[in-house]
Amino acid sequence: MTGAIPRRTRARRRGWLALACAMLACGAARAGAGNLEFDPAHSRFGFELRTRWGQKLEGRFPHYDGHVVELPDGRHQVRLRFFTADVEIAGHPRYTEWTRGPRFFDAEKYPTVSFVSEPYDPALLAQGGKLAGKLAIRGIQRPKSLDVEAAACARPALDCDVVATGAVSRADYDMDNWQLAVNDRVVFVLRARLRENTAP
């Protein structure tokens, strides 16, 4: 004959069940975090140049791909590619043609600019700081850190933009044409949000 389960035993079982559900939910959240892509509706990737006369030229990459990977140790890694054949300088067709051409990005020969970060603690997005990684332009890869701004919300990249900037020298990537007209310094500007990757 099977007796009724004591109240204390039932409560203990409910406690273990709640803990198991919480662990499963946590696992699902972590799995989702490892499958995040950049949200095109809220992400903007570009760069800024200055002419010798102080004029600011704003470039953008309308086409890109990238995602954030969650690593086994809980850290994250950003992987991004920007397609140079579509790069634009707002309001300046001549500069647009130059940046796509052989003396700047050389889109025909080097179709992408890429950035792969070092593994980082996700808290970096909230607190701000240096995001180290490697930037490849025209087949030349160099260490590069981006300056991440402190977040303006509790869930950065989901409820508000993550903003990061990083300056490079054109000469370091063999893009030193037009030095008399355009400064050597290029500032990359990234404003990004993430969403779950729904691709099968």
Side-chain angles (χ1 to χ4, degrees):
M1 177 176 171
T2 303
I5 299 174
R7 182 179 300 175
R8 182 178 298 176
T9 301
R10 292 200 301 270
R12 190 161 49 239
R13 288 185 178 180
R14 285 197 298 270
W16 280 109
L17 180 61
L19 177 61
C21 289
M23 291 176 67
L24 287 172
C26 179
R30 290 174 64 85
N35 192 33
L36 296 174
E37 64 182 6
F38 290 92
D39 183 351
H42 297 95
S43 298
R44 299 290 182 272
F45 301 107
F47 56 93
E48 295 176 356
L49 296 164
R50 291 274 181 181
T51 69
R52 295 295 183 182
W53 306 278
Q55 180 185 21
K56 183 169 74 170
L57 304 175
E58 296 184 357
R60 73 182 191 100
F61 297 100
H63 297 124
Y64 60 87
D65 66 28
H67 53 280
V68 175
V69 177
E70 183 176 5
L71 304 175
D73 63 3
R75 293 182 298 169
H76 290 183
Q77 185 179 44
V78 174
R79 301 171 186 174
L80 268 168
R81 291 192 307 164
F82 310 112
F83 296 99
T84 55
D86 304 308
V87 69
E88 298 174 349
I89 303 294
H92 295 280
R94 187 182 178 197
Y95 282 120
T96 293
E97 183 180 355
W98 170 62
T99 53
R100 295 176 183 179
R103 299 309 300 165
F104 203 84
F105 288 129
D106 197 356
E108 185 173 342
K109 190 173 181 180
Y110 304 104
T112 62
V113 168
S114 67
F115 177 76
V116 179
S117 77
E118 298 294 330
Y120 64 92
D121 189 317
L124 171 68
L125 301 186
Q127 300 167 358
K130 297 285 186 182
L131 177 61
K134 292 182 178 178
L135 177 68
I137 304 175
R138 294 171 58 95
I140 300 171
Q141 181 175 270
R142 295 185 182 278
K144 182 63 205 169
S145 291
L146 299 177
D147 295 313
V148 180
E149 295 182 9
C153 66
R155 298 197 309 163
L158 296 176
D159 296 333
C160 62
D161 294 349
V162 171
V163 181
T165 59
V168 302
S169 166
R170 292 199 285 129
D172 287 343
Y173 295 93
D174 291 344
M175 300 189 298
D176 52 359
N177 188 246
W178 279 24
Q179 289 281 16
L180 294 179
V182 180
N183 287 339
D184 178 68
R185 191 168 182 258
V186 181
V187 180
F188 285 89
V189 182
L190 288 67
R191 304 185 66 93
R193 292 199 199 186
L194 298 170
R195 67 182 184 183
E196 187 174 355
N197 186 351
T198 57

